[in-house]
Amino acid sequence: MGTYINKGNFAFQGTRNSEYVDKSELIAIVNKTLLTRQRYSCVSRSRRFGKSMAAEMLCAYYDKSCDSRHLFQDLKIASHPSFEQHLNKYPVIYVDMTNFVTDACDDIVDWLDNALVSDIIKAYPQVPTEGTRKLMDYLMRVNDATTDQFIFIIDEWDAICREYASKPEVVDRYVGWLRRMFKSVDGFKVFAGVYLTGILPIKKYSTQSAMNRSAQRDACLSKNFQEYSMVEPRSMAPYFGFTKDEVKSLAEKHGMDFSELEKWYDGYQIGDDQHIFNPNSVMQAIDTRRCRSFWASTGAFDTAAHYISMNFEGLKDDIVKMLAGGRCSVDPTGFQNDLSVIHFKDDVLTVLIHLGYLSYDWKANECYIPNHEVAGEMVNAVRKNNWTQVYHAIEKSANLLEATLRGDEEAVARGIDAAHDENTSILSYNDENSMACVLAIAYYAARDKYIVHREYASGKGFADLVLIPRKHVDSPAVIVELKYNKDADTAISQILHKQYPAKVAEYADNLLLVGISYDKESKRHECKIEKVKN
């Protein structure tokens, strides 16, 4: 058993000894590509979405130095026609690039070649070594002598590109090494399959130095790779992240409240599935028996804060809109897949999608904050950036909700006044969309107890804000209508006229109607609160 070649199945054995959600059918997708023109795969997902676990599973399945049948015989892949064909049939090279970030300093390519060649020499002592210390040259010699074709798995391929962003010459040399390995015709002879994981796709990756040369070179590299990303997951969409049914099964097995897990961790859209959960967070919540943010302890908001602080026109408005529960249009096609090359607002939003702070709806070309956990990190990022107006409105939102539930119309009007005054420097308040956005920020804290809908389809129209109590929450449902230059009674009348209460009929005995008006001349709000009478 080597350090990098033929590592065996011990890592996946540890996974099987733990709680495991069966994602083994990923193997069938990779099997289909082996020994074809599509043999190079790059799977990019945000952190904590199971990339490394999947790479370890593939290592255990393909590695011919061990017998892994017992690890897979009760999994879905065992019934697939390709299971027997490729089980433990290949020499596997497995590299976790985060180890080289720690140990290799600036000599990453030399470390890679030396470390891998030394390990492979031990595995193939009969192959002559004279005249070369280059990995690809030695792999060719092995192939010529034995006809062996390798599975090459690189976990966190882009760790070098992320950690050495300030040293483009290091990144340039590393990406050049990748190109030499996987672009040449020799690569198709040596490798039965190549599987890369990372946060970023390979396509269009370039460095700050020698930009034209790098762009041309990387275009050649990416041409060979099939990319499966947060933006374009393709056939690998179901195998990263937990589905709603999978989380329901886990919640039932462990006696957890599924609705709480759903509130905290659901909301990613990957491909066509709009209900993908962060798997690491779900498992940690089950292990600790409570839901909370498992990003917070890592200082994750620092990354988000860095990107949302960039001074691109409209970016701040979009972040506030998404904090308020809205969606923003985004075009991810122009992003260069380089965290150090950010030219436009769309680049920032696309980075946040790849990093997992936003989810992407490919049908609508829109992005949004996926769930309660990530929303909390975005609020921390807003605070770090000293967006005091927004943060103050969010801090005060719990008081506004309490005032609404106790029917204190004057306190609600004052609360909306304050949210309006504090946020006019960020958002225009001259149209109903901006009014509704400020209103949603003002009721931000309601997300703890309520499912919050903006522009909720009800009866004959749309309510500006509808608060539906979460499971086990003993609070009234709330329908909020905001009117511009009309009185609060008109807002209440509109709620009744459009039959909004009919849409929330199950709350007929516990439903508040809230009418809020804004007067353009006085720049003040008026509030009217009524309890629905049967």
Side-chain angles (χ1 to χ4, degrees), residues 504-523:
V504 286
E506 64 181 290
Y507 301 100
D509 294 327
N510 201 18
L511 176 64
L512 294 180
L513 309 182
V514 181
I516 297 173
S517 66
Y518 173 66
D519 185 277
K520 185 178 179 180
E521 297 299 323
S522 67
K523 301 190 184 301

Side-chain angles (χ1 to χ4, degrees), residues 117 121 127-139 141:
V117 168
I121 286 173
V127 177
T129 62
E130 294 81 5
T132 183
R133 290 295 294 179
K134 296 296 183 182
L135 176 60
M136 193 60 186
D137 292 341
Y138 195 71
L139 291 176
R141 292 188 183 190

Side-chain angles (χ1 to χ4, degrees), residues 253-273:
K253 178 180 178 180
H254 294 279
M256 294 285 288
D257 183 350
F258 170 74
S259 64
E260 275 296 292
L261 292 169
E262 185 178 36
K263 176 183 81 171
W264 276 87
Y265 312 120
D266 183 20
Y268 287 99
Q269 178 169 340
I270 299 181
D272 291 329
D273 197 328

